[in-house]
Amino acid sequence: MAKKTANDDPLAPVTLAVGQEDLLLDRAVQEVVAAARAADADTDVRDLTSDQLQPGTLAELTSPSLFAERKVVVVRNAQDLSADTIKDVKGYLGAPAEEITLVLLHAGGVKGKGLLDAVRKAGAREVACPKMTKPADRLAFVRSEFRATGRSATPEACQALVDSIGSDLRELASAVSQLVADVEGTIDEAVVGRYYTGRAEASSFTVADRAVEGRAAEALEALRWSLSTGVAPVLITSALAQGVRAIGKLSSARGGRPADLARELGMPPWKIDRVRQQMRGWTPDAVSVALRAVAEADAGVKGGGDDPEYALEKAVVTIARAARSRGQS
């Protein structure tokens, strides 16, 4: 989700959108255009790339009009503007035209930093649009999308959606819109599963969850279905490894509230609760056995064995048995 400065008036003379997340950059533009057209339905919008804004072009676009029409001028990839055009922009910042909103999209970083500094110094409204590389950021984005619609989604559902869709914010936003349009009431993990069960990440984690819960038959069924739909075996071994390691981390951690353990172990609080339920049948020795099984399966699917499917089935069965080791003789 984009972060804004204290000056949050989309009709400010200049808006600076900084970052490399295309969806957020586009939304920053759409917000300004929507506000301008709400004030004047006949607002003229000029959307330009850096090479289209030549020296003198900005002066032409912002010159007084006989009809005093409202105008939005969007400049994309402002970091790539020529030196002469940057001079034009800096000159404009000192005396922006009335009824005109200039929107500059800048990638951030070193290139074009002089322009970036000048726009900030001029007091422009700024919208941060950073690339969301961390799963936690994408999870926060999904939650904010649901909140923006006024709908409720469980933490597990939000996490399942991120696991299912991946890192593409446009796809995540689209998925939230689809769920909100199609589903009544609270959106939970089961609903997400029904809509996006074919996704590689989702099916991989289903295999892992069933295995660490000791549900061998269901884990094998999920495994065979995943492989039949083209899920890469390495994704499944990765999910198995994450599942077993989470058990090991939590079993060796100090007791405490989920929020405290989440900070200590680098897991979301809802996952702490889930792993606590999954680890009931586990012992430290069982974790070691399961990790060895995952390592052997990983070697098997990466060329160390003749039958990757058998290697995965063997690992799944071993992990499921390990999950039921507590209390067994």
Side-chain angles (χ1 to χ4, degrees):
M1 68 214 127
K3 297 179 182 178
K4 304 169 186 175
T5 56
N7 176 17
D8 194 23
D9 180 6
L11 293 182
V14 181
T15 286
L16 173 66
V18 184
Q20 299 179 41
E21 190 60 70
D22 290 340
L23 174 65
L24 300 184
L25 291 168
D26 285 345
R27 284 185 173 181
V29 173
Q30 292 163 9
E31 182 182 25
V32 172
V33 171
R37 286 184 169 155
D40 181 354
D42 296 324
T43 294
D44 181 22
V45 178
R46 303 295 180 91
D47 197 325
L48 308 172
T49 58
S50 57
D51 60 332
Q52 292 175 313
L53 194 71
Q54 296 297 315
T57 304
L58 183 61
E60 294 176 9
L61 292 172
T62 58
S63 60
S65 167
L66 291 175
F67 304 102
E69 65 182 355
R70 183 176 290 277
K71 186 180 293 185
V72 175
V73 179
V74 180
V75 180
R76 298 180 183 272
N77 299 314
Q79 72 279 358
D80 296 329
L81 291 171
S82 68
D84 288 338
T85 303
I86 287 176
K87 289 180 182 178
D88 288 351
V89 175
K90 288 181 177 178
Y92 177 80
L93 294 173
E98 292 185 9
E99 302 299 310
I100 291 178
T101 300
L102 176 64
V103 184
L104 299 171
L105 276 56
H106 194 295
V110 176
K111 189 174 184 181
K113 189 174 184 299
L115 174 62
L116 196 62
D117 292 342
V119 178
R120 285 171 169 162
K121 187 175 180 180
R125 169 181 179 258
E126 184 170 344
V127 182
C129 306
K131 200 75 175 175
M132 294 192 181
T133 57
K134 297 179 180 179
D137 292 337
R138 294 192 287 273
L139 182 59
F141 171 78
V142 168
R143 288 172 175 164
S144 71
E145 291 290 289
F146 279 117
R147 281 198 300 270
T149 67
R151 292 294 299 281
S152 177
T154 66
E156 293 85 356
C158 293
Q159 183 65 53
L161 199 59
V162 172
D163 291 340
S164 300
I165 302 298
S167 59
D168 190 309
L169 252 59
R170 290 189 190 279
E171 288 195 25
L172 285 169
S174 177
V176 170
S177 296
Q178 181 182 25
L179 289 168
V180 167
D182 293 355
V183 180
E184 296 182 357
T186 299
I187 295 164
D188 58 20
E189 187 179 13
V191 170
V192 174
R194 287 200 301 272
Y195 272 74
Y196 300 102
T197 188
R199 299 282 185 158
E201 294 91 340
S203 53
S204 298
F205 285 109
T206 298
V207 176
D209 284 340
R210 299 298 85 80
V212 299
E213 290 162 3
R215 295 153 67 178
E218 293 176 45
L220 287 172
E221 181 181 358
L223 171 64
R224 288 161 187 156
W225 185 89
S226 298
L227 293 173
S228 71
T229 57
V231 176
V234 291
L235 289 178
I236 299 173
T237 55
S238 175
L240 289 170
Q242 290 183 51
V244 175
R245 286 173 186 150
I247 299 287
K249 282 183 179 180
L250 192 56
S251 63
S252 61
R254 300 187 304 273
R257 297 177 304 168
D260 297 331
L261 288 170
R263 285 191 294 271
E264 180 183 343
L265 302 178
M267 298 180 190
W270 69 264
K271 190 170 184 179
I272 297 293
D273 291 333
R274 172 183 286 182
V275 176
R276 273 178 168 165
Q277 294 175 354
Q278 292 174 332
M279 63 184 284
R280 288 173 182 165
W282 286 85
T283 65
D285 287 343
V287 172
S288 298
V289 169
L291 286 174
R292 284 196 298 272
V294 172
E296 291 173 4
D298 190 54
V301 303
K302 292 179 179 177
D306 297 328
D307 190 343
E309 183 172 341
Y310 172 73
L312 286 168
E313 289 182 354
K314 181 180 177 182
V316 164
V317 170
T318 301
I319 293 169
R321 286 175 177 169
R324 300 192 303 271
S325 62
R326 188 182 296 276
Q328 293 182 356
S329 56

